[in-house]
Amino acid sequence: MDALKPLSTIGILGGGQLGRMLALAASNLGFRVHIYAPEADSPAYDVTRFFTCAAYDDQTALAEFAATCDVITFEFENIPLSTIEFLETLAPVHPNSAALRVAQDRLNEKNFAQQHGLNVGAFAAISHPSDFAPALQAIGAPAVLKTVRMGYDGKGQQIIRSADDAPAAWAHLGNVACIYEQFINFEAEVSIIAARGHNGSVAIYDLVENIHEHHILARSIVPTHYGAELHAQAAGYATRVLEQLNYVGVLAIEFFVVRTADDTLNLYFNEMAPRVHNSAHWTQLATHTCQFEQHIRAVAGWPLGATTRFAPVELRNILGDDIENFATDAAAPNAKLVLYGKSDVKAGRKMGHVVMVK
Amino acid sequence: MDALKPLSTIGILGGGQLGRMLALAASNLGFRVHIYAPEADSPAYDVTRFFTCAAYDDQTALAEFAATCDVITFEFENIPLSTIEFLETLAPVHPNSAALRVAQDRLNEKNFAQQHGLNVGAFAAISHPSDFAPALQAIGAPAVLKTVRMGYDGKGQQIIRSADDAPAAWAHLGNVACIYEQFINFEAEVSIIAARGHNGSVAIYDLVENIHEHHILARSIVPTHYGAELHAQAAGYATRVLEQLNYVGVLAIEFFVVRTADDTLNLYFNEMAPRVHNSAHWTQLATHTCQFEQHIRAVAGWPLGATTRFAPVELRNILGDDIENFATDAAAPNAKLVLYGKSDVKAGRKMGHVVMVK
């Protein structure tokens, strides 16, 4: 693919903060942006002249959208696979539907990770009540039951402490396809964010240490408390995954850090996100190429940008009515404040973030 | 003025690259942006949901625009003063019309600079053919005849080598109000970019050295070849000008660097721009708060951001069909490329810029 010329149009499925920041980055590179989202109050609509508010299964609207786009991408993995497959018949779409098929399904991604040599905790598929007995026998309890699809920020999860819990927990999740996952005894959660271009070049940001509160990312810290070796381990895995999926764009992989009895540090695959990722928002302050620009560069067939980090940084999410303190955040020294233009303040909703150089 | 809340609307008059970059910066802070411009193909329209294409003297359109805005600003000084004065009756406007009255008129700004103790080369007003004889007698020739208003990038200027040239030169400029300016024997051109908030706080970026080609800014270099003392001299002048004008927003002042016989360096006022300025685009790479965000912070009543520069930088403008080399520019190491989304490529037209860390 030739590099897309300035004024080409980047189509983005999804109108949340990630779509909004992708749009802003694309505009800075001289592209036009067309946002497609089903929600009437999508904050990404505010930052482009071109948007379509329609359902993901509206093939007429999708076809009209695709006709305006030189390349199409998406801000999150819960776009229906059929939408991406339909769009692929009309325009270039990156990341590709094969990558999305893996990444939007917890069973697929665990199987994929295991096949490609990443450490994965024990897991079992649950699609029928009779699946619980062998799963509990193999994995034990307590463990976590998660919906295979559509889970994020702790949604779609139930802890199972004994076989007796299983029917109610599964019913709570809607009796949909689930995965039963071993508890991993980890000492930290980390993520690696990497990009791959059309020509196969790969660029990787520094490993990030993530602190969650109430299942929502609260803070990310770079560098981690671990050394270069753990970064190299994660970077190796990320490169392998990008290449195996023939991936174009930014990809995030979350790992658990597990310390073995002999004090070795191992990374266990938790999940991947075929998109820009909250834990890399610090790249807006401490690198020349933020993850949003990097993703646009990749999908547009441009050379990837440098990922060198200039300083130790900490990212803090602004959740719910924490946004009322915006003036204090705006005055923080050595910091960058980004707000998402969301009109509806709800508890735990991601309203913005602050990146601080330490 | 209280700090404007997120989702407030910033109105911007002018739809060129400066308006576009102001809009992108405002969006990053969670504001909405309403662009008002007369040109149908304004590149700033592409980066916001809200824009009005109407003439600057269309009071109906201006009133409808003002009704949607919490604060109004502008991207350049050639907005008619009457437009700003009309809008001031409807909404807060920053910078204020008094500052614009000074800055959009070369005679006013020279008189203002002189009154406030800045070094200014000899000049004379030309509003009638009979004004030339005393002007040439006082100032000599060669010298430069400039239109008092609407000049930029070398437009609206004629060199006068003798009294005989004067009638034709003035006719070439349309026989409008002009200023006859002494040639300053300078060894460099520099600019200082400063911001002032509602509360009177001032933040100043490092002095910039500018290299023009064919009267258009080609490159800007920071730091300059001169030391901290020259920066301090310029910063002092900028602070004085900001305070005297009760200015809110970003202001740029261009100076000539003149070396005296005893090897002292003096700054001579050239012109000021009541807006963000081409020579400060490097702040997008090498500071935490770029000039566009700084201007939005100022006009929104937010605290000003830090102006500390991290590294030596060079800014290069991408002019005309230089934009065809965008893929090479995109691959430059230690650089940030910004393109303006302009559809019409003309010789000398500013299409984008590259900031390089040196």
Side-chain angles (χ1 to χ4, degrees), chain A residues 4-17:
Chain A
L4 283 187
K5 293 205 163 87
L7 273 181
S8 299
T9 296
I10 312 279
I12 300 173
L13 297 161
Q17 70 269 18

Side-chain angles (χ1 to χ4, degrees), chain A residues 10-346:
Chain A
I10 312 279
I12 300 173
L13 297 161
Q17 70 269 18
L18 300 180
R20 180 176 164 112
M21 289 186 277
L22 285 169
L24 294 171
S27 295
N28 253 318
L29 295 177
F31 293 116
R32 285 182 166 146
V33 173
H34 190 154
I35 298 283
Y36 187 110
E39 299 84 6
D41 63 346
S42 297
Y45 295 158
D46 286 355
V47 300
T48 183
R49 180 173 180 172
F50 312 100
F51 66 90
T52 299
C53 182
Y56 285 130
D57 61 359
D58 182 340
Q59 292 203 340
T60 307
L62 288 170
E64 285 173 9
F65 166 70
T68 70
C69 296
D70 295 288
V71 67
I72 295 172
T73 188
F74 46 87
E75 69 153 4
F76 77 141
E77 60 276 21
N78 292 332
I79 311 278
L81 190 61
S82 56
T83 301
I84 299 297
E85 288 171 336
F86 175 69
L87 289 170
E88 279 180 333
T89 67
L90 303 171
V93 181
H94 299 289
N96 59 54
S97 60
L100 185 62
R101 184 179 293 112
V102 169
Q104 76 175 192
D105 180 300
R106 289 186 191 279
L107 266 173
N108 287 354
E109 69 181 7
K110 290 261 156 127
N111 280 316
F112 174 87
Q114 201 164 46
Q115 277 161 25
H116 292 96
L118 281 70
N119 302 313
V120 177
F123 64 94
I126 304 290
S127 58
H128 187 272
S130 66
D131 292 331
F132 276 108
L136 270 99
Q137 187 163 19
I139 296 168
V144 190
L145 186 68
K146 298 179 179 173
T147 60
V148 160
R149 301 176 57 121
M150 304 295 280
Y152 68 98
D153 287 352
K155 289 170 189 164
Q157 301 193 10
Q158 290 284 303
I159 293 176
I160 292 190
R161 300 188 190 281
S162 74
D164 296 346
D165 291 352
W170 199 33
H172 188 86
L173 297 177
N175 293 333
V176 296
C178 280
I179 182 171
Y180 188 71
E181 291 184 357
Q182 176 190 16
F183 264 127
I184 304 281
N185 186 19
F186 60 87
E187 66 172 50
E189 294 177 85
V190 296
S191 54
I192 192 90
I193 289 83
R196 185 167 175 273
H198 278 277
N199 61 359
S201 60
V202 168
I204 303 181
Y205 294 103
D206 284 353
L207 190 67
V208 185
E209 189 164 341
N210 298 315
I211 293 112
H212 290 83
E213 291 172 6
H214 311 296
H215 294 288
I216 298 171
L217 183 67
R219 292 186 298 133
S220 291
I221 295 164
V222 198
T224 68
H225 289 97
Y226 307 97
E229 201 187 317
L230 206 70
H231 167 83
Q233 200 181 129
Y237 290 147
T239 304
R240 199 182 303 169
V241 169
L242 288 169
E243 289 175 351
Q244 290 298 327
L245 294 171
N246 194 24
Y247 193 97
V248 171
V250 166
L251 170 84
I253 309 179
E254 295 183 51
F255 295 97
F256 298 121
V257 180
V258 176
R259 193 179 292 272
T260 63
D262 67 349
D263 220 30
T264 305
L265 292 172
N266 281 326
L267 291 174
Y268 273 72
F269 176 89
N270 179 22
E271 61 184 31
M272 67 172 92
R275 54 167 168 84
V276 290
H277 195 255
N278 193 165
S279 68
H281 291 354
W282 61 269
T283 60
Q284 292 177 318
L285 186 68
T287 68
H288 282 170
T289 318
C290 76
Q291 64 165 342
F292 304 101
E293 176 173 334
Q294 192 76 296
H295 186 75
I296 298 298
R297 282 173 169 261
V299 304
W302 282 32
L304 298 181
T307 55
T308 312
R309 180 176 49 78
F310 306 136
V313 289
E314 179 170 331
L315 164 75
R316 178 170 56 78
N317 275 338
I318 297 171
L319 302 174
D321 56 13
D322 284 354
I323 196 173
E324 288 170 17
N325 303 321
F326 74 90
T328 306
D329 289 330
N334 300 317
K336 181 177 181 67
L337 172 66
V338 177
L339 299 178
Y340 304 153
K342 294 184 180 177
S343 50
D344 196 11
V345 181
K346 283 185 286 203

